[in-house]
Amino acid sequence: LNAYCDHLDQRSTAVDDELVQRQRQAEALVQNQVRESLQMIQEQHRKSMEQLEPRYQIIEGQMKQSQEEQWQQLNKHQQTFEDKVEEHLQEQWQQLNKHQQTFEHKVEQHLQENQEQMESTVSAMNSLEMVVQELKQKSEIDECKTAVDDEL
């Protein structure tokens, strides 16, 4: 019985050793498979990146071109806006100058009319003063005549 137990112990130890060895082999196999899979994935990734690089460059070029076109469009719209603002300001200045000229002409016309009225008034006053002088002279002459008539 002891011999049989020793035999079973030896057999159990041999089985345990074989299991440990097989487990180590399985772990090594799994590690190798994982390493190979990882290398294969990395290689596929590298190849994918090599294939995507030209596409990326094309897309990047298209984006740069699109961005450049958008900037050109924006600059065109800005220039159009600035031109319209400049045109509007020119029209405003022309209107302002026209109104100013009209105002200056009306003021000049009004001043001319006032000048003519003033000259007419001065002329009328001069005429009136001459009439007053003549009336004074006539009155003095009449007084002298009356005084002379009275003395005679």
Side-chain angles (χ1 to χ4, degrees):
L1 186 59
N2 278 338
Y4 184 67
C5 279
D6 283 343
H7 174 69
L8 284 179
D9 276 344
Q10 287 176 358
R11 181 101 174 121
S12 174
T13 304
V15 168
D16 284 345
D17 289 346
E18 190 174 331
L19 279 175
V20 168
Q21 186 178 359
R22 284 187 184 182
Q23 187 176 359
R24 286 182 185 158
Q25 287 174 346
E27 286 175 358
L29 182 64
V30 167
Q31 284 179 351
N32 284 339
Q33 287 177 345
V34 166
R35 193 175 303 117
E36 287 174 7
S37 293
L38 183 60
Q39 287 175 349
M40 190 171 61
I41 289 171
Q42 287 174 338
E43 183 63 24
Q44 287 175 347
H45 177 70
R46 187 187 61 75
K47 286 180 181 179
S48 294
M49 291 306 288
E50 286 176 356
Q51 290 175 350
L52 289 176
E53 182 65 25
R55 290 181 188 165
Y56 172 76
Q57 289 177 350
I58 290 170
I59 290 171
E60 186 178 38
Q62 289 173 341
M63 286 175 57
K64 284 181 181 177
Q65 182 179 357
S66 174
Q67 188 178 26
E68 183 64 30
E69 288 171 359
Q70 287 175 348
W71 272 112
Q72 289 173 355
Q73 193 110 18
L74 181 64
N75 288 338
K76 181 180 173 186
H77 288 313
Q78 181 179 358
Q79 187 62 46
T80 302
F81 175 75
E82 288 174 358
D83 290 346
K84 286 183 178 181
V85 167
E86 181 69 27
E87 183 180 327
H88 182 69
L89 287 174
Q90 285 287 26
E91 290 173 3
Q92 292 282 325
W93 273 112
Q94 288 173 354
Q95 284 281 346
L96 184 63
N97 286 335
K98 182 180 174 184
H99 289 312
Q100 183 179 359
Q101 288 174 353
T102 301
F103 176 75
E104 287 174 355
H105 178 70
K106 286 183 178 181
V107 165
E108 197 172 304
Q109 197 174 21
H110 186 68
L111 288 174
Q112 183 72 30
E113 290 172 2
N114 283 350
Q115 180 70 27
E116 289 172 3
Q117 283 181 351
M118 196 158 63
E119 287 174 1
S120 173
T121 303
V122 167
S123 176
M125 286 176 66
N126 287 340
S127 295
L128 189 58
E129 195 170 316
M130 285 174 57
V131 168
V132 167
Q133 287 295 328
E134 285 178 20
L135 285 175
K136 279 184 179 179
Q137 285 176 355
K138 271 188 177 184
S139 174
E140 288 175 2
I141 291 174
D142 285 344
E143 285 178 14
C144 285
K145 276 186 182 180
T146 304
V148 168
D149 284 342
D150 286 346
E151 278 190 31
L152 288 173

